[in-house]
Amino acid sequence: QFMELEPEMLATETVVPVYFAMEDDELLSIYTQTLTSSSSQGSLSAAEVLLHTATANGFQMVTSGAQSKAISDWAITSLEGRLAGVGGEDLPTIVVVAHYDSFGVAPWLSYGADSNGSGVSMLLELARLFSKLYTYKRTHAGYNLLFFVSGGGKFNYQGTKRWLEDNLDHTDSSLLQDNVAFVLCLDTLGNGDTMHLHVSKPPKEGSPQFTLLKELELVSESQFPDVKFSMVHKKINLADDMLAWEHERFGIRRLPAFTLSHLASHRLAQRASIMDVRSVSPSSRHGAGEPPAGPHVDVQKLSRNTKLVAEALARVIYNLTEKGAPGDLQIFTEQMVQDEQLSAVVDWLTAQPRAAQLVDKDSSVVSTLEYHMGHYLKDVKRHYVRADKRDPEFVFYDQLKQTMNAYRVKPAIFDLLLAVCISGYLGVMYLAIQNFGLLYSVARRVTQPKVKSH
């Protein structure tokens, strides 16, 4: 229910500020006191309600910090690296893409475990696996592999958009301008027993894209029968403000591309929710044996999906189907896809919020991703996107995290009642003092001895 509310909250302009905080004992205490104060008034008389209202505790929330200001020079960073094929200069190129930023109604609580920590983890594992194959002469394939970790994915794929402009419009030579076999985007692959290939245009028979589609079907049927694989066709709607999937950025530039995801639709709420965390505590389960509420990452399923994609890509690269290799032939052994490494990468990615407003070019997220890619790939480069100052497509603000203090206060009617009581008390004391003075003067006159004069 909360995930369904998040898009509405993002699209609604509120008249009061809305803050989000992690649930703790102090916050629960405030909630309990407020709930008790409001729920107990239904069975009371008018006088009791008035007295209860005057004596009940209230809370005043105060935040410290200046007003938020727009940041004009914020840089969104993307990273690319490559593995060069062997056998000539005009080799086909396979591009593997995943965006690393997260999104939610509260940036500091946006950890993006499944969307898209799982996609980045799979990309890094694929880079590691194929770097091993490309190290040896016997397994060095005739395909260039280009890996791209994009920033600003949750802001209409701004990192991908600029990367395409730099490679297609502002340079004379790049792997994207040459023979691109297909672009494979990885998004939300850390759970579920389904795998959907989202396409803007169904691939033609005989094309590399069609070959990958068939290899994914073959591998899922032969080696991973528990995975239900299907293709989902959706045309690009340029009238929408936001693109549905990352592959549509490539499709607009006439590059064959598609997105792999365990989600059947781009509209599902877990793609942009602060509930998308690494795991869910047992207390949130509805009952014994039931899955945890909300999205999370299952490392075993992420590992299985990674192996499925790796096997399908290997069959395309080495042309195994035409060579008569059976569908259950395993290129990568169980030991090659490392669950521990996948789990460690997911843990690291989800240990910190990765909203684009928080990840600048000096962030540890960017530098660590760059280090990992440099360990497996060649020519690792950074690409930056800054918003156009005249007509910005995105605007980021500072002051996204503030400290809130809760002060226990009495209602205004308590001050009024207290003032009346004090006034009454002072009035009584004044009258008492006045009466006491009058009585004292009378008593003195009565008791004072008369003095005779001679």
Side-chain angles (χ1 to χ4, degrees):
Q1 289 175 341
F2 183 83
M3 287 192 293
E4 291 176 357
L5 273 175
E6 278 186 272
E8 302 297 329
M9 298 174 74
L10 286 164
T12 303
E13 185 175 349
T14 59
V15 294
V16 294
V18 179
Y19 295 91
F20 294 85
M22 297 301 293
E23 183 180 294
D24 58 15
D25 292 339
E26 292 180 340
L27 206 57
L28 285 174
S29 174
I30 293 173
Y31 170 72
T32 302
Q33 293 180 56
T34 306
L35 189 65
T36 303
S37 175
S38 60
S39 63
S40 62
Q41 296 186 23
S43 59
L44 302 179
S45 64
E48 288 174 326
V49 169
L50 183 62
L51 180 63
H52 185 274
T53 302
T55 56
N57 286 326
F59 295 93
Q60 181 180 7
M61 305 297 191
V62 179
T63 57
S64 58
Q67 186 174 359
S68 296
K69 296 179 181 178
I71 306 173
S72 58
D73 59 344
W74 191 265
I76 293 176
T77 309
S78 302
L79 298 162
E80 75 164 88
R82 63 188 66 188
L83 291 172
V86 66
E89 293 184 0
D90 189 22
L91 296 176
T93 298
I94 293 175
V95 186
V96 183
V97 181
H99 64 273
Y100 65 82
D101 57 312
S102 58
F103 190 77
V105 71
W108 275 97
L109 298 177
S110 302
Y111 293 91
D114 198 10
S115 179
N116 193 29
S118 63
V120 174
S121 302
M122 181 180 289
L123 181 145
L124 293 176
E125 183 67 4
L126 291 174
R128 186 186 71 83
L129 291 171
F130 283 97
S131 69
K132 288 183 176 293
L133 295 180
Y134 274 50
T135 300
Y136 302 103
K137 193 171 184 179
R138 291 182 61 187
T139 54
H140 201 161
Y143 275 84
N144 296 317
L145 297 181
L146 184 58
F147 295 86
F148 182 60
V149 179
S150 61
K154 303 301 186 182
F155 287 85
N156 215 13
Y157 310 105
Q158 292 298 320
T160 300
K161 180 183 178 184
R162 178 59 58 86
W163 186 58
L164 286 169
E165 291 172 354
D166 292 343
N167 280 279
L168 299 180
D169 302 336
H170 304 148
T171 184
D172 295 331
S173 176
S174 76
L175 291 180
L176 286 177
Q177 282 186 331
D178 301 329
N179 184 13
V180 174
F182 53 80
V183 180
L184 178 62
C185 301
L186 308 173
D187 190 342
T188 321
L189 288 157
N191 209 328
D193 292 322
T194 59
M195 186 173 289
H196 304 282
L197 189 70
H198 296 271
V199 301
S200 304
K201 193 177 184 182
K204 294 181 179 180
E205 189 171 349
S207 66
Q209 309 94 272
F210 186 81
T211 302
L212 177 66
L213 171 63
K214 290 303 177 183
E215 296 295 3
L216 285 168
E217 289 177 347
L218 180 62
V219 172
S220 60
E221 289 175 3
S222 304
Q223 301 184 31
F224 304 95
D226 55 327
V227 178
K228 296 180 180 178
F229 175 81
S230 65
M231 185 184 75
V232 180
H233 176 216
K234 177 196 166 296
K235 293 182 178 180
I236 302 174
N237 187 357
L238 296 177
D240 287 345
D241 292 334
M242 301 289 289
L243 296 176
W245 298 100
E246 193 158 13
H247 74 266
E248 295 185 352
R249 277 285 172 213
F250 295 90
I252 291 172
R253 302 304 299 262
R254 300 188 180 279
L255 291 173
F258 22 62
T259 297
L260 264 180
S261 175
H262 72 77
L263 301 179
S265 170
H266 67 283
R267 300 185 185 278
L268 294 176
Q270 52 259 53
R271 293 189 69 213
S273 174
I274 62 175
M275 306 299 287
D276 182 8
V277 293
R278 172 67 173 86
S279 60
V280 182
S281 63
S283 61
S284 67
R285 296 176 184 265
H286 297 291
E290 293 187 19
H296 69 290
V297 173
D298 185 328
V299 173
Q300 289 185 342
K301 292 186 177 182
L302 176 60
S303 175
R304 177 203 63 193
N305 293 342
T306 301
K307 194 169 187 300
L308 192 159
V309 175
E311 293 285 349
L313 281 175
R315 293 184 69 87
V316 173
I317 290 172
Y318 297 108
N319 200 19
L320 294 184
T321 296
E322 287 195 10
K323 293 178 180 178
D328 58 355
L329 174 67
Q330 292 189 0
I331 310 301
F332 303 99
T333 62
E334 294 295 333
Q335 292 76 21
M336 291 189 73
V337 179
Q338 299 177 357
D339 291 2
E340 296 82 4
Q341 174 137 335
L342 274 172
S343 181
V345 173
V346 173
D347 287 342
W348 164 70
L349 283 169
T350 55
Q352 56 211 316
R354 300 188 319 281
Q357 305 98 305
L358 307 176
V359 184
D360 62 3
K361 57 185 178 64
D362 299 320
S363 167
S364 62
V365 173
V366 174
S367 58
T368 307
L369 282 172
E370 187 176 30
Y371 171 79
H372 273 282
M373 293 178 70
H375 196 63
Y376 310 125
L377 308 173
K378 304 295 184 183
D379 302 326
V380 176
K381 300 176 184 177
R382 291 191 178 198
H383 296 266
Y384 298 109
V385 181
R386 286 182 171 86
D388 190 335
K389 293 183 179 180
R390 292 170 296 179
D391 185 22
E393 292 193 46
F394 58 92
V395 179
F396 294 150
Y397 291 82
D398 60 4
Q399 300 291 331
L400 296 174
K401 189 177 185 181
Q402 295 185 356
T403 300
M404 176 178 285
N405 297 303
Y407 295 94
R408 184 177 283 108
V409 296
K410 295 292 184 181
I413 193 172
F414 174 80
D415 295 335
L416 179 61
L417 184 61
L418 186 62
V420 170
C421 293
I422 293 174
S423 300
Y425 171 76
L426 292 176
V428 170
M429 292 300 296
Y430 176 76
L431 292 175
I433 292 171
Q434 288 284 64
N435 291 335
F436 179 78
L438 181 61
L439 289 172
Y440 179 73
S441 61
V442 171
R444 283 192 60 188
R445 289 179 184 177
V446 172
T447 57
Q448 188 175 10
K450 297 182 179 179
V451 181
K452 295 181 179 180
S453 61
H454 299 280

